[in-house]
């Protein structure tokens, strides 16, 4: 008990003596003030940090939104397509290929961008041959022939095979290929059916994105092919490029920067639904849905270059 009283007497003076009590109050006041200043500084720092983070997040979100909008606009521009008005009255039929076929991509328009394009199925008939004997055009009228030649829409886009000009090839150039499956035109392929050569097709737009004039074809043809996904999702050609069998002096088709060429992609029919695209070397078009016959992945020729027996039997029917 004595020990307890002694301990209490030691504690009591700290609160009973006026000087010590005032001193204790000042110490506590300073401590509280220091803590309050520390609290305010810490709180302000936190508020400042949160404000900065919030501001940066706002800026980032705005920039992200702008980037997304720019991407959308870029994609819309990428798939922008002219209105195609086909005024021809040629009868069309469905194309049902049963083997790997030869591609047939000819120009129906070439030149500057237009919002509306009228396909010209006679555009491929260039250069114009001299008039045959007995025609209304006098063969000796070289001036008239030259005038018809130079006024043809292909004149400035067709380079004679003897021309020394050296243009960048489509293999190294920047191209874009767009297929519009919402519109219809015709593909004129006499090699499939001489009597009824017109088949239903999608319009195809080729645009030169390069800074230089480039070559995009030879003779009458653009070296496009159609590819499709097989049953396991691999891309495989269902067409092979048109190749001239011998040297016959065909010219070269050129395309200046930012100008376009219009062609036609055959609409195939079959029992295999798949995804398709067009290709010119390492440049691909947008993908689109379609139907083919599965054997279109297979050539009618064997490894020796002869017709397969299956194909021969079909030709006899």
């Amino acid at each position: 008990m004595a020990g307890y009283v002694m301990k209490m007497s030691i504690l009591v003076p700290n609160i009973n003596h006026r000087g010590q009590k005032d001193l204790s109050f000042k110490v506590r006041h300073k401590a509280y003030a220091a803590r309050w200043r520390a609290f305010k500084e810490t709180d302000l720092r936190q508020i400042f940090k949160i404000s900065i983070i919030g501001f940066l997040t706002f800026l980032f979100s705005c920039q992200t939104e702008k980037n997304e909008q720019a991407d959308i606009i870029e994609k819309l521009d990428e798939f922008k397509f002219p209105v195609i008005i086909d005024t021809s009255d040629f009868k069309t039929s469905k194309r049902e290929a049963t083997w790997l076929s030869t591609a047939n991509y000819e120009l129906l328009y070439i030149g500057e961008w237009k919002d509306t394009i009228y396909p010209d199925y006679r555009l491929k008939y260039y250069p114009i041959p001299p008039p045959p004997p007995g025609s209304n055009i006098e063969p000796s009228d070289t001036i008239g022939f030259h005038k018809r030649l130079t006024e043809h829409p292909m004149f400035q886009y067709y380079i004679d095979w003897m021309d020394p000009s050296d243009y960048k090839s489509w293999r190294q150039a920047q191209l874009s290929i767009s297929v519009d499956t919402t519109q219809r035109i015709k593909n004129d392929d006499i090699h499939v059916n001489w009597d009824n050569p017109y088949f239903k097709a999608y319009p195809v737009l080729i645009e030169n994105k390069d800074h230089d004039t480039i070559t995009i074809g030879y003779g009458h043809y653009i070296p496009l092919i159609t590819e499709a996904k097989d049953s396991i999702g691999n891309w495989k050609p269902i067409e092979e490029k048109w190749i001239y069998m011998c040297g016959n002096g065909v010219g070269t088709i050129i395309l200046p920067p930012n100008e376009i060429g219009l062609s036609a992609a055959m609409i195939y029919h079959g029992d295999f639904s798949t995804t398709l695209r067009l290709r010119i070397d390492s440049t691909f078009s947008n993908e689109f849905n379609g139907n083919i016959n599965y054997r279109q992945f297979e050539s009618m020729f064997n490894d020796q270059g002869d017709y397969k027996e299956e194909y021969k039997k079909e030709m006899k029917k």
Side-chain angles (χ1 to χ4, degrees):
M1 185 68 177
Y4 174 76
V5 173
M6 183 179 67
K7 289 178 183 178
M8 287 297 293
S9 66
I10 293 173
L11 293 174
V12 168
N14 290 332
I15 58 175
N16 288 338
H17 291 81
R18 182 176 181 82
Q20 291 180 351
K21 182 177 180 180
D22 291 341
L23 179 61
S24 178
F25 175 78
K26 291 179 181 179
V27 171
R28 287 198 301 271
H29 177 72
K30 289 182 179 180
Y32 291 152
R35 289 178 184 177
W36 173 247
R37 285 195 301 272
F39 169 77
K40 287 197 299 181
E41 291 175 359
T42 303
D43 192 49
L44 290 174
R45 284 196 294 267
Q46 292 294 334
I47 292 173
F48 181 74
K49 288 180 181 178
I50 292 172
S51 300
I52 291 295
I53 292 171
F55 180 68
L56 292 176
T57 302
F58 173 75
L59 288 179
F60 179 76
S61 62
C62 289
Q63 187 61 42
T64 302
E65 185 176 353
K66 288 181 180 179
N67 292 338
E68 290 175 352
Q69 291 176 351
D71 290 341
I72 292 172
I73 293 172
E74 184 178 352
K75 288 179 180 178
L76 289 174
D77 290 340
E78 181 181 351
F79 289 98
K80 183 180 177 183
F81 212 98
V83 175
I84 309 299
I85 301 178
D86 190 350
T87 58
S88 67
D89 57 358
F90 302 119
K91 181 183 177 181
T92 59
S93 55
K94 293 182 178 181
R95 178 76 167 99
E96 293 194 28
T98 54
W99 298 89
L100 181 74
S101 55
T102 301
N104 183 67
Y105 295 93
E106 298 168 317
L107 285 174
L108 306 177
Y109 170 81
I110 188 169
E112 296 181 351
W113 176 275
K114 289 183 177 181
D115 292 329
T116 303
I117 295 178
Y118 296 83
D120 183 358
Y121 294 96
R122 299 171 299 174
L123 189 64
K124 63 182 178 180
Y125 299 116
Y126 187 87
I128 302 171
S135 66
N136 295 329
I137 302 174
E138 177 58 44
S140 61
D141 183 12
T142 56
I143 296 177
F145 174 72
H146 183 266
K147 184 175 184 294
R148 293 191 302 276
L149 192 70
T150 55
E151 290 179 351
H152 194 282
M154 282 297 298
F155 175 71
Q156 59 181 319
Y157 299 100
Y158 192 90
I159 305 299
D160 187 80
W161 71 286
M162 292 290 289
D163 192 296
S165 302
D166 185 20
Y167 294 100
K168 183 187 292 187
S169 167
W170 65 80
R171 298 179 181 87
Q172 292 85 35
Q174 297 181 28
L175 289 172
S176 72
I177 308 169
S178 302
V179 181
D180 187 352
T181 58
T182 66
Q183 304 188 75
R184 299 290 185 275
I185 52 175
K186 303 174 182 71
N187 187 302
D188 174 14
D189 196 345
I190 59 174
H191 305 95
V192 175
N193 190 326
W194 180 271
D195 297 322
N196 299 295
Y198 292 94
F199 298 90
K200 295 178 181 179
Y202 296 130
V204 179
L205 203 67
I206 305 164
E207 184 173 2
N208 179 8
K209 298 284 190 178
D210 213 281
H211 298 294
D212 303 315
T213 296
I214 63 172
T215 63
I216 61 162
Y218 42 81
H220 299 158
Y221 300 100
I222 309 300
L224 286 163
I225 63 168
T226 297
E227 295 183 328
K229 284 186 177 181
D230 63 11
S231 59
I232 58 174
N234 293 325
W235 286 105
K236 290 184 178 180
I238 59 171
E239 294 175 340
E240 55 186 357
K241 286 189 295 187
W242 175 272
I243 298 176
Y244 287 95
M245 298 304 294
C246 59
N248 49 19
V250 296
T252 300
I253 303 171
I254 61 172
L255 188 65
N258 301 317
E259 295 199 15
I260 59 174
L262 176 71
S263 190
M266 197 80 75
I267 300 176
Y268 290 102
H269 295 267
D271 56 7
F272 179 66
S273 298
T274 185
T275 305
L276 301 100
R277 68 184 181 186
L278 267 59
R279 175 181 178 179
I280 178 169
D281 285 279
S282 59
T283 302
F284 302 92
S285 74
N286 53 299
E287 299 176 6
F288 55 98
N289 297 325
N291 286 71
I292 63 172
N293 288 307
Y294 202 80
R295 203 174 57 178
Q296 285 181 249
F297 293 118
E298 184 181 343
S299 174
M300 65 184 73
F301 299 99
N302 58 29
D303 294 338
Q304 288 72 42
D306 300 320
Y307 286 120
K308 293 179 178 178
E309 292 300 321
E310 186 178 0
Y311 176 76
K312 291 180 182 179
K313 291 177 182 178
E314 291 178 1
M315 292 300 101
K316 292 179 180 178
K317 295 180 182 179

